[in-house]
Amino acid sequence: MTSKGCLSANDWVCGEYVRSRGEELADATVQHVGITAVSVLLGLLLAFPLALLARRWRVAAGPVLGMTTVLYTVPSLAMFALLMPVFGVSVSVVIGGLVLYSLTVLVRNILAGLEAVPAEAREAARGMGYGPGRLLFSVELPLAVPALMAGVRIATVSAVSLTTVGAIVGYGGLGNLIYSGMESFFKTEVLTASVICVVLAVLADVLLLGVQRLLTPWARAGKAA
Amino acid sequence: MGAMVDAWSWLTTGAHWTGTGGIGQRLGEHVFLTVVCLAVACAIALPVALWLGHIGRGGALAINISNAGRAVPTFAVLVLLTLSPLGRYALWPTLIALILFAIPPLLTNAYVGMREADRDVVEAARGMGMSGGQLLWRVELPLAFALVMTGIRAAAVQVVATATLAALPGGGGLGRIITAGFNTYNTPQVVAGAVLVAVLALAVEAALVLADRALDPMRRRARAVREPEPDTAPVPVGVAS
């Protein structure tokens, strides 16, 4: 298989495709990363108050966790289709769906992280005169970072793979290439986009792991000692 | 709100339920795919996971397969299988993708459940002279039951979701109603299809929750005793798709 003839031979792997369609691939990748990043960030912004609400009032915990779990059950194609009348055919459909999915994982993990903060740490901070706000942001939240980041990692990796389904409304990033490759039986387009998608997911996971290590220097100090 | 009303009138039109490509046929395909693939995936994954959990090996494998499964886009796998030589056999790409994606949650949950069975209880049973097989069936499995069922629920939701996606490369199932609506710019049909899929997914989940309650061998025990520790972060191991 020479690299020249692979486009006309419709091979699975084709360097010529990557060279000639580099721009298209880059655009799709940028859209993919953008949709994923915006979704997870919005998810975090929404999940945080929800988790605080569920922790503050026990009565709220059941409905909040129940609702987000129910949303997680809805298949992505149906989720995007259901959001279509709300947002029209736009990128908001995909982002909206991904935000709703990320809520399940994020709310649960933030809640679990906050609840795992040792009562002694809380008491000590209170004894030092910390108010509820300062207690939350300078004691509880940092201690909850490992659980929170575990949630962010799961939400991000899932969002990277679910973004592809956004191709149904034309905003699927690399999914758009997979979709068009599927319709024209263009094998290398499908495989290349799929591989980039998996690579993106792995890169995002590694990157977030790095962020977690930066945010929790004490965990490393403990291990080294 | 208008979209919901239109979708409702689409759903209540009798003609949309019958005939080729009608709701009846698509629902039948979806349920068929779900039941067959879930059963095959259970038959493959559960014995392996229970055995690995029993002998306490392969934990990294069980957990990593689940994490890797999350990173692989379901849609991409479906399209890749359809374009591969397998695509010539109509149902096979869908069946294989569905089974593949159902295995990780089954494997991970069953394995973790077996490992988390109280070691003291297992040791006590061993001390009473139970054989390996007795230990597995009469002690570890009942203790692991709740987590095994969680895995089956996650896998079932996964299969329903993937069967929906199978419509994109031309497979059967309820997703076809959504994609057909997209192709003809028929928004009421798209929303109606999505409602059907969502209701089916929730119904499957609810049915399995009820089965879990009815079958749990530990159900007579006080529920409070089995509440998970707060620090074993209760993360759903399933993957939406």
Side-chain angles (χ1 to χ4, degrees), chain B residues 48-159:
Chain B
V48 174
L50 294 181
W51 176 246
L52 287 177
H54 177 66
I55 61 173
R57 298 237 176 92
L61 178 83
I63 309 287
N64 282 331
I65 283 183
S66 184
N67 287 337
R70 234 189 296 273
V72 179
T74 321
F75 173 46
V77 171
L78 270 165
V79 175
L80 285 172
L81 284 173
T82 310
L83 294 188
S84 76
L86 268 173
R88 262 173 285 159
Y89 310 97
L91 255 185
W92 282 101
T94 310
L95 286 172
I96 291 175
L98 259 60
I99 293 168
L100 278 181
F101 280 99
I103 286 177
L106 289 171
L107 208 58
T108 308
N109 278 286
Y111 179 85
V112 171
M114 290 292 280
R115 292 314 299 160
E116 282 189 356
D118 193 335
R119 284 296 108 190
D120 291 341
V121 177
V122 176
E123 286 310 314
R126 206 192 297 275
M128 285 165 65
M130 278 198 184
S131 69
Q134 282 176 320
L135 212 58
L136 199 160
W137 282 109
R138 295 174 54 187
V139 180
E140 290 173 318
L141 191 55
L143 286 172
F145 185 83
L147 267 175
V148 174
M149 276 306 290
T150 307
I152 294 178
R153 271 164 53 194
V157 169
Q158 179 69 52
V159 171

Side-chain angles (χ1 to χ4, degrees), chain A residues 75-76 84-85 162 168 182 185 194, chain B residues 3 76 83 168 182 191 197 235 240-241:
Chain A
S76 57
M84 221 181 53
L162 283 181
I168 186 85
M182 172 187 89
F185 288 92
S194 307
Chain B
L83 294 188
L168 288 173
F182 259 109
V191 176
V197 173
V235 176
S241 77

Side-chain angles (χ1 to χ4, degrees), chain A residues 139-182:
Chain A
V139 178
E140 292 179 307
L141 205 53
L143 286 174
V145 161
L148 184 147
M149 285 303 288
V152 172
R153 283 171 63 197
I154 294 174
T156 309
V157 171
S158 312
V160 170
S161 93
L162 283 181
T163 301
T164 54
V165 183
I168 186 85
V169 285
Y171 294 93
L174 293 159
N176 288 355
L177 299 184
I178 298 175
Y179 198 88
S180 73
M182 172 187 89

Side-chain angles (χ1 to χ4, degrees), chain A:
Chain A
M1 311 271 171
T2 59
S3 67
K4 267 272 181 317
C6 63
L7 268 182
S8 48
N10 197 13
D11 286 337
W12 282 106
V13 181
C14 183
E16 183 59 28
Y17 165 75
V18 181
R19 269 191 294 282
S20 60
R21 305 278 195 95
E23 209 171 314
E24 195 180 274
L25 279 168
D27 287 348
T29 310
V30 168
Q31 189 188 58
H32 206 107
V33 172
I35 290 174
T36 308
V38 170
S39 306
V40 176
L41 285 176
L42 277 178
L44 260 178
L45 281 180
L46 270 175
F48 193 59
L50 282 177
L52 287 182
L53 193 77
R55 187 175 72 137
R56 190 84 175 72
W57 291 283
R58 286 277 126 199
V59 242
V64 166
L65 292 180
M67 263 313 283
T68 53
T69 310
V70 165
L71 287 172
Y72 204 70
T73 313
V74 178
S76 57
L77 188 60
M79 181 77 96
F80 294 154
L82 279 174
L83 289 175
M84 221 181 53
V86 184
F87 294 112
V89 175
S90 69
V91 73
S92 315
V93 166
V94 185
I95 293 178
L98 293 177
V99 166
L100 291 179
Y101 282 131
S102 68
L103 284 184
T104 316
V105 186
L106 292 176
V107 171
R108 267 165 205 274
N109 277 273
I110 296 174
L111 202 57
L114 289 177
E115 280 178 352
V117 172
E120 294 88 355
R122 225 174 264 143
E123 286 304 314
R126 256 192 226 117
M128 285 165 71
Y130 279 38
R134 205 162 152 222
L135 175 68
L136 176 66
F137 285 102
S138 49
V139 178
E140 292 179 307
L141 205 53
L143 286 174
V145 161
L148 184 147
M149 285 303 288
V152 172
R153 283 171 63 197
I154 294 174
T156 309
V157 171
S158 312
V160 170
S161 93
L162 283 181
T163 301
T164 54
V165 183
I168 186 85
V169 285
Y171 294 93
L174 293 159
N176 288 355
L177 299 184
I178 298 175
Y179 198 88
S180 73
M182 172 187 89
E183 294 192 316
S184 54
F185 288 92
F186 192 178
K187 289 179 181 170
T188 187
E189 186 175 34
V190 174
L191 185 66
T192 311
S194 307
V195 169
I196 296 179
C197 205
V198 174
V199 170
L200 276 185
V202 174
L203 278 182
D205 201 37
V206 172
L207 192 76
L208 288 171
L209 192 63
V211 171
Q212 182 183 338
R213 284 174 62 98
L214 283 178
L215 287 177
T216 55
W218 59 89
R220 262 174 304 156
K223 235 172 231 171

